Each structure stands twice: as structure tokens, then as C-alpha cells.
Amino acid sequence: MLKNNMHQEPIQEFQEQFQLRPKSVFLDFVRQYDLNQWKLFNIWFGRGNYLQELIEINTGTGWNCWWGQGERPSEWLMIAQTDPYSFLLHRQTEKIYAITSDDEGMEWQAIAKKFEQ
């Protein structure tokens, strides 16, 4: 993995926009590594500008809304995807969840207790 050379301002703006905790392990990972073109096996994090993609994915700009209709559930952020799964970060607990478009409601199952797992 490549070290991140990005200025911290875009990360700070992202943190504020989505109200992430200052000590977020996920944000530390984003600060440390370049995720702009990174994938882990077949799970894509970024395919260009990772932070901009996260903003678009989580605001419904140019994407189908992963949450369905209405406003995005405020506690959740999509952080990566593969076919057929989307990976969500719970903002407060930092648990990771995997969902598919077939999942109904928000009764998703955690796949990792913390982002680093």
C-alpha cells in the first residue's frame, strides 16, 4: 500500500461533513494510506478520488442510493463495495457491515467488530 500524500484539509472536511469521531480508526487509515485506486482482493475502496467518491456515494450524488429512498441513515457510511456487497461503517461503533441490494430494512449483520479487523 502506498502512503497517502494528500493534504489533511480534504480529510478534515470529510470528517466534519459526515460527523466522524476525531479518533476514528477509519479516518486514521484514510490519512495514512492512498486509497484512490486501491482494492483488497475484489473489494474496491477507490477508483479515482476516494474521498470524493465517498461523498458522492453517501449523498446520493450520481449514484443509486445504497439506502433506498429518503434520507441516508445518518449513522452509516458506505466505505467500499464489490459485487454484490456494499460495506458500511457505523459511525459511532466503527463496526463494519456487509449488505446487498436484497437486504431489507436495516437489520444488517456486522462482519467486523472494528474497522481494523
Side-chain angles (χ1 to χ4, degrees), residues 14-106:
F14 178 80
Q15 175 185 349
E16 291 170 4
Q17 179 173 354
F18 291 103
Q19 301 171 343
L20 294 169
R21 299 177 328 165
K23 300 286 184 185
S24 167
V25 174
F26 170 70
L27 281 179
D28 288 344
F29 187 76
V30 172
R31 284 183 187 101
Q32 189 171 2
Y33 297 106
D34 179 357
L35 303 177
N36 289 329
Q37 293 289 328
W38 190 65
K39 70 177 186 171
L40 178 64
F41 302 106
N42 66 336
I43 301 170
W44 281 95
F45 281 78
R47 293 183 179 129
N49 181 327
Y50 181 61
L51 286 180
Q52 185 60 41
E53 288 176 26
L54 284 185
I55 291 168
E56 291 174 4
I57 289 169
N58 288 292
T59 59
T61 308
W63 284 78
N64 292 331
C65 299
W66 59 262
W67 59 89
Q69 304 226 353
E71 291 188 35
R72 177 183 56 82
S74 63
E75 292 300 309
W76 302 93
L77 290 176
M78 182 195 293
I79 59 168
Q81 59 188 348
T82 187
D83 188 19
Y85 297 99
S86 296
F87 297 92
L88 305 180
L89 171 76
H90 188 273
R91 290 187 316 106
Q92 300 304 317
T93 65
E94 292 201 327
K95 286 184 179 179
I96 303 297
Y97 292 74
I99 65 170
T100 69
S101 58
D102 294 335
D103 291 336
E104 294 187 22
M106 291 180 23

